Amino acid sequence: MDRKSIEKLELNKILTAVAEHASLDKAKTLLTECAPATELNEVKRRLALTEECDKLLYVYGIGKIEQFSEVEDALLRAEKCSALSCGELLNAAALLRSARIAYESIEKTDDDIILVKKLSAEIYYDKLLEDDITDKILSPEDVSDNASDKLYSIRSKIKNLNERIRSKLSEYVSGKDAEYLQDGIVTIRNDRYVIPVKAEHKSRVRGFVHDRSKTGATFFIEPEYVLELNNELIALSIDEREEVEAILRALSKRLGAMSEQLKKDSEILAELDALYARAEYCYALKCVKPKINAKGYINIIKGRHPLIEKEKVVPVSVELGADYNFLLLSGANTGGKTVTLKMSGLFCLMAACGLFVPAAEGTSVAVFDGVFCDVGDSQSIEESLSTFSSHIVNVIDICNNASGNSLVLIDELGGGTNPDEGQALAKAVVKHLLDCGAKGIVTTHFTPLKEFAYSVTGIENASMEFDSDTLKPLYSIKIGLPGASNALAISKRLGMSEKILAAAEGYLSEGARSFENVVKRAEESRIEAERKLAEIGAMQREWKEKLDKINAQIDEINREKEKINRSARSESRRIIAERCEQAEELLAEIEEIFKKEELAEADLIAARTLKNKLQSVAYDEENERVKITDYAEANAENIKEGTEVYVKPMDCSGVVTAVSKNKGEIEVACGSLKMHLKYRDVSVIGQTEKEVQKSVKVVKKLPKTQPVLEINVLGMTVMEALYEVDNFIDGAVTDNLEEIKVIHGVGTGKLRKAISEHLKRHKNVESFRSGKYGEGETGVTFIKLK
């Protein structure tokens, strides 16, 4: 990979940002020094590792690698049988703990974690040694009293001896010789207990002088009667130090025996920490795992440059490497050409480092042997290179090294010099890169180069869209059309004088002016066409939703009707079964009577009685009564919420959910369908007893098959007429009618005018007209429905 190109694409900034998520210094180094892979399998392996770590962090809830300090130098000394300090041993214990937790947490996951498990399987840990170190070492400076029995015994003796010495010296301090002392305290000099004696009385205290104050007024004397005790205390301190060294040496020896495994642990944990950092960075930027290929195909869907603030970044989509190898990207300045160019190369490098990319699902990037980039002003005073010269040096290097598996990104190719020579050079460079099979993006403002892209195979014009009304970029790419530079329009928006702009326009060549105008008009037409297409699509979606809603209401009504029919059939079967059962019982009794050998007069009377009962089961109106539905006309007195009503237009029953007496309207719920109706559209359902012959008859009332094509509103008020017209139109829409007729008469013209004004605003009306000669003329209105 070309190092300069990688720097220009700012991969180093991305890796530095990723490293901020790492816990270990060694992991940060691994990340910042990561080189993009050039082999397809290696890139796939890196991305798979990042994906598994993402699962470990955000699906399994596993914590990151626990922090520990570098211990390589300490392990090397331990390997050579040197005793490590308390702090170094605690650092080693932290490494052992981090290794153990990493191994155990990864090992308990499911089988979908494969590569990370393979890596963690090589981790070595020793729980016993970890516990021994943390139990015996209290801090970087102190060993626990319980580190060994001997140390416990020595420290116990030291403690008791300290108390004895202090007790004896306290007696001296508070005794008759206290007047010789500077202060009534006991202190320590040279690890021995002493008392502060005034200089003029030093001869009165028998003992060994250890120190004198800076002023010379005080001598620190060890009284002779505690001399032996202090000697014994020093001896115990030496024993303590030797025992501590023995404990540290024993622990260090055990560490030294496994130093190689622990060094390897340190490397593995650093690699795991780097993988977790990659996954954490990708999660924070809402990145997706890209599809990888080795065919040079790039398809970035709604890509966001990761170095632009998320509040300001605008997603951009770009594709190349399928039908064409190069994109010639043109358009206005500040339109996003350079950002798009750099983003394309950066996404390929990020994937090659095992990073997901901030884009939408389905994004694809390719693995390249080399990524070459020439972006920005690289003029060098030290090397005496102008802007053009610095660009050409980079372009020469690109042309010499680019191959069929290279990605080439050049910003403003041929710029910075004479336009005729610059565009000619740009054509030649692009032709050379196409011939060698490279893929890439070139940005330009050269009109001849845009025309060149139409005549050469393998390169496609593309433009950054620009709003000609607001003169602001739209940050989206349109493949197939070059973009206008709009330099004069942008200058005008930024405040350039009209006089200067008029002069500049006069200096434009006829060819350049014509080409830019054609491109501009084509761009405006395309944007307008896409806007219209979007509006049509929105309208189609809206009508589809409405149609789906109507179909759902029709289905609900059909379900209600079927429910009523099922209930009627069930009731019919029940009545029939009940009558059959009664008839069978009566027949059985008659048969029992006639089984007798001799029939008496009483038997005949009984048989006749049973026969009459049998007839009455089927025909007797006196004994059988059934309840039938009675409908009463609805009015303000018998209508209230909860009243069951029969809805005439829909031929179904419903329940009143709301009443507006002022308007003379009610809201009725028929299943899931709610309707606003007038009183005259419904009847109140009541239950009364009427004598009818009991015979079971199931009647299913079918809807009218012949649709109504006209309505007569003569004699109605305006409000009544409009209400009826609305209902009529709704029914016609449901019946899929194209044209209907409203008969309103001529009269004063008030009703016709009100209906016309209402139809102008009706969402289902496409157009309307008065009748022609022979059709009723102004007394009727024909309505064409949408």
Side-chain angles (χ1 to χ4, degrees):
M1 288 286 181
D2 182 61
R3 183 180 59 82
K4 289 182 180 179
S5 296
I6 291 176
E7 290 179 358
K8 287 184 177 180
L9 292 173
E10 300 178 292
L11 177 65
N12 57 323
K13 293 183 180 180
I14 300 297
L15 295 176
T16 300
V18 177
E20 292 177 359
H21 294 273
S23 302
L24 306 177
D25 292 338
K26 188 177 289 187
K28 295 178 186 292
T29 302
L30 287 175
L31 289 167
T32 54
E33 295 179 355
C34 177
T38 57
E39 295 293 332
L40 180 64
N41 289 336
E42 174 59 18
V43 174
K44 287 183 176 180
R45 190 188 74 87
R46 292 183 179 187
L47 290 171
L49 282 167
T50 303
E51 183 179 31
E52 289 187 1
C53 286
D54 179 81
K55 287 183 181 178
L56 289 171
L57 289 175
Y58 302 110
V59 177
Y60 291 102
I62 290 175
K64 295 173 63 178
I65 301 300
E66 291 206 7
Q67 175 70 37
F68 61 88
S69 300
E70 298 297 333
V71 294
E72 279 78 2
D73 293 340
L75 290 174
L76 185 61
R77 288 189 287 108
E79 194 175 355
K80 296 178 180 179
C81 299
S82 296
L84 304 183
S85 67
C86 293
E88 290 171 332
L89 287 169
L90 287 176
N91 289 338
L95 170 59
L96 287 167
R97 172 181 168 79
S98 182
R100 175 177 56 80
I101 292 175
Y103 176 83
E104 291 176 346
S105 60
I106 294 171
E107 196 63 28
K108 68 182 180 182
T109 58
D110 295 336
D111 295 337
D112 57 342
I113 305 300
I114 300 172
L115 297 176
V116 177
K117 276 187 179 180
K118 186 176 180 181
L119 185 62
S120 65
E122 300 181 19
I123 293 177
Y124 173 85
Y125 65 93
D126 188 331
K127 181 71 164 58
L128 181 59
L129 178 56
E130 176 194 337
D131 291 341
D132 280 350
I133 293 175
T134 52
D135 290 343
K136 294 180 179 181
I137 311 298
L138 297 179
S139 69
E141 295 82 23
D142 196 14
V143 176
S144 171
D145 294 348
N146 298 313
S148 71
D149 293 340
K150 184 178 180 181
L151 182 61
Y152 181 82
S153 175
I154 292 172
R155 288 186 173 175
S156 297
K157 290 178 182 178
I158 290 174
K159 182 179 178 182
N160 293 333
L161 192 56
N162 277 323
E163 291 176 354
R164 288 175 56 195
I165 295 173
R166 283 183 172 276
S167 177
K168 280 190 168 291
L169 291 177
S170 296
E171 292 175 2
Y172 191 93
V173 168
S174 60
K176 59 184 179 62
D177 296 328
E179 59 182 292
Y180 303 141
L181 304 181
Q182 192 71 264
D183 295 301
I185 60 172
V186 176
T187 185
I188 295 176
R189 288 293 186 276
N190 299 326
D191 296 329
R192 302 176 77 89
Y193 285 98
V194 296
I195 55 177
V197 180
K198 295 177 181 178
E200 59 270 24
H201 300 300
K202 67 175 182 175
S203 59
R204 295 180 178 274
V205 178
R206 296 175 62 83
F208 183 79
V209 177
H210 282 274
D211 199 1
R212 184 180 67 180
S213 65
K214 291 182 179 179
T215 61
T218 304
F219 282 83
F220 296 95
I221 300 175
E222 178 186 2
E224 62 180 5
Y225 58 82
V226 296
L227 184 64
E228 287 302 322
L229 294 177
N230 271 332
N231 288 340
E232 186 178 351
L233 183 62
I234 294 296
L236 287 173
S237 297
I238 294 172
D239 291 341
E240 178 192 22
R241 184 169 61 251
E242 290 177 349
E243 180 59 19
V244 167
E245 289 178 355
I247 293 169
L248 297 179
R249 190 177 294 107
L251 292 173
S252 301
K253 184 178 180 181
R254 292 168 65 184
L255 277 175
M258 61 180 72
S259 62
E260 290 302 322
Q261 293 97 318
L262 294 181
K263 289 177 186 177
K264 188 174 182 180
D265 276 359
S266 180
E267 299 293 334
I268 295 173
L269 292 175
E271 186 175 353
L272 284 173
D273 190 36
L275 292 175
Y276 285 138
R278 277 165 28 187
E280 200 171 50
Y281 173 83
C282 296
Y283 182 84
L285 266 68
K286 298 180 180 179
C287 299
V288 299
K289 182 183 177 183
K291 298 176 183 177
I292 302 297
N293 66 87
K295 300 177 181 179
Y297 176 65
I298 297 174
N299 182 23
I300 297 172
I301 305 172
K302 294 182 179 180
R304 311 179 307 277
H305 198 292
L307 296 179
I308 301 177
E309 296 178 16
K310 61 181 180 180
E311 295 82 10
K312 298 180 181 179
V313 67
V314 180
V316 177
S317 299
V318 61
E319 182 179 10
L320 64 93
D323 299 330
Y324 46 85
N325 289 339
F326 264 84
L327 269 182
L328 185 66
L329 194 56
S330 55
N333 289 319
T334 72
K337 298 190 300 296
T338 304
V339 171
T340 301
L341 178 142
K342 294 177 70 174
M343 180 189 71
S344 302
L346 181 60
F347 278 15
C348 292
L349 294 176
M350 288 176 66
C353 290
L355 294 170
F356 295 173
V357 296
E361 290 288 348
T363 293
S364 296
V365 295
V367 179
F368 294 100
D369 292 339
V371 176
F372 300 96
C373 179
D374 178 51
V375 178
D377 185 0
S378 303
Q379 62 176 316
S380 171
I381 296 175
E382 292 82 0
E383 298 179 14
S384 301
L385 293 177
S386 66
T387 299
F388 176 74
S389 299
S390 64
H391 279 302
I392 289 303
V393 168
N394 291 334
V395 171
I396 292 171
D397 183 62
I398 291 171
C399 290
N400 290 337
N401 294 287
S403 66
N405 195 29
S406 297
L407 178 65
V408 177
L409 307 164
I410 305 178
D411 191 28
E412 302 294 347
L413 178 59
T417 188
N418 178 281
D420 289 336
E421 294 182 346
Q423 58 88 12
L425 183 61
K427 290 180 184 178
V429 170
V430 170
K431 187 66 170 62
H432 170 78
L433 294 173
L434 286 171
D435 291 342
C436 73
K439 281 80 176 175
I441 302 174
V442 173
T443 68
T444 188
H445 288 288
F446 288 143
T447 298
L449 194 56
K450 301 174 189 176
E451 296 171 345
F452 174 75
Y454 280 121
S455 61
V456 178
T457 304
I459 185 169
E460 186 70 51
N461 268 306
S463 58
M464 300 301 297
E465 293 190 292
F466 193 80
D467 191 326
S468 58
D469 295 329
T470 62
L471 298 179
K472 291 183 179 179
L474 300 176
Y475 300 105
S476 60
I477 297 176
K478 187 64 181 178
I479 306 296
L481 285 176
S485 296
N486 291 298
L488 298 182
I490 293 173
S491 299
K492 181 178 180 180
R493 180 170 65 87
L494 296 176
M496 180 72 76
S497 134
E498 292 285 350
K499 182 178 179 181
I500 296 174
L501 290 172
E505 195 166 333
Y507 291 137
L508 284 174
S509 68
E510 186 61 33
R513 187 186 297 111
S514 175
F515 183 83
E516 288 293 321
N517 287 337
V518 169
V519 170
K520 185 176 181 181
R521 285 195 297 271
E523 182 71 4
E524 291 173 353
S525 300
R526 182 187 59 78
I527 292 174
E528 179 65 17
E530 289 184 350
R531 186 181 66 80
K532 292 290 186 183
L533 186 62
E535 290 179 0
I536 293 171
M539 292 176 64
Q540 287 178 336
R541 289 191 295 272
E542 179 184 355
W543 282 110
K544 184 178 183 301
E545 290 174 1
K546 290 182 178 179
L547 183 60
D548 291 343
K549 187 175 180 180
I550 291 172
N551 288 335
Q553 291 173 346
I554 293 173
D555 291 342
E556 179 65 23
I557 292 171
N558 290 335
R559 283 194 294 271
E560 289 292 330
K561 288 184 176 180
E562 180 61 27
K563 183 178 178 181
I564 293 170
N565 290 337
R566 285 198 303 270
S567 178
R569 287 194 295 269
S570 176
E571 181 66 13
S572 300
R573 286 194 295 270
R574 185 190 67 77
I575 293 172
I576 292 170
E578 182 180 316
R579 296 295 181 270
C580 289
E581 184 179 354
Q582 292 176 4
E584 288 174 357
E585 290 177 357
L586 293 171
L587 288 173
E589 291 182 18
I590 293 173
E591 288 177 359
E592 287 295 326
I593 292 174
F594 284 98
K595 285 181 180 178
K596 296 180 180 180
E597 294 181 358
E598 294 184 2
L599 294 176
E601 184 67 25
D603 293 328
L604 293 174
I605 294 172
R608 290 192 191 96
T609 303
L610 291 173
K611 177 186 176 184
N612 292 334
K613 285 186 179 180
L614 182 60
Q615 290 176 339
S616 67
V617 167
Y619 306 114
D620 191 0
E621 294 182 0
E622 181 63 24
N623 297 327
E624 296 298 334
R625 301 171 185 270
V626 294
K627 294 182 179 180
I628 65 171
T629 303
D630 180 42
Y631 297 107
E633 289 300 322
N635 53 55
E637 285 71 27
N638 61 3
I639 284 286
K640 61 180 180 179
E641 291 185 17
T643 301
E644 187 178 4
V645 294
Y646 170 73
V647 182
K648 299 175 184 177
M650 300 299 293
D651 190 24
C652 67
S653 62
V655 178
V656 177
T657 57
V659 179
S660 177
K661 292 186 177 180
N662 294 334
K663 296 181 179 180
E665 291 182 316
I666 58 173
E667 182 183 82
V668 179
C670 295
S672 62
L673 179 65
K674 289 189 176 181
M675 297 172 286
H676 291 275
L677 303 168
K678 295 289 186 180
Y679 285 146
R680 63 174 174 272
D681 294 326
V682 301
S683 298
V684 178
I685 298 176
Q687 297 293 323
T688 61
E689 297 246 333
K690 290 187 178 179
E691 296 178 1
V692 296
Q693 181 175 329
K694 186 65 175 185
S695 60
V696 179
K697 184 178 181 181
V698 179
V699 178
K700 180 177 181 182
K701 188 171 182 179
L702 298 174
K704 297 177 181 178
T705 58
Q706 183 65 32
V708 179
L709 299 176
E710 65 180 42
I711 184 174
N712 191 332
V713 294
L714 284 169
M716 295 185 185
T717 65
V718 169
M719 293 300 294
E720 291 173 342
L722 294 181
Y723 177 80
E724 294 296 337
V725 169
D726 274 344
N727 288 339
F728 181 48
I729 292 175
D730 291 342
V733 170
T734 304
D735 292 335
N736 291 322
L737 299 180
E738 293 183 359
E739 189 174 80
I740 56 177
K741 180 170 69 173
V742 177
I743 303 172
H744 46 70
V746 179
T748 62
K750 183 178 178 181
L751 188 58
R752 178 179 62 83
K753 184 178 179 181
I755 292 175
S756 297
E757 291 297 321
H758 184 67
L759 294 177
K760 289 178 183 179
R761 301 187 298 271
H762 202 290
K763 61 182 179 180
N764 290 327
V765 175
E766 181 174 340
S767 63
F768 62 92
R769 63 178 177 84
S770 296
K772 299 177 183 178
Y773 180 79
E775 292 180 338
E777 301 182 10
T778 58
V780 298
T781 297
F782 287 85
I783 303 172
K784 186 176 181 181
L785 302 176
K786 292 183 178 179

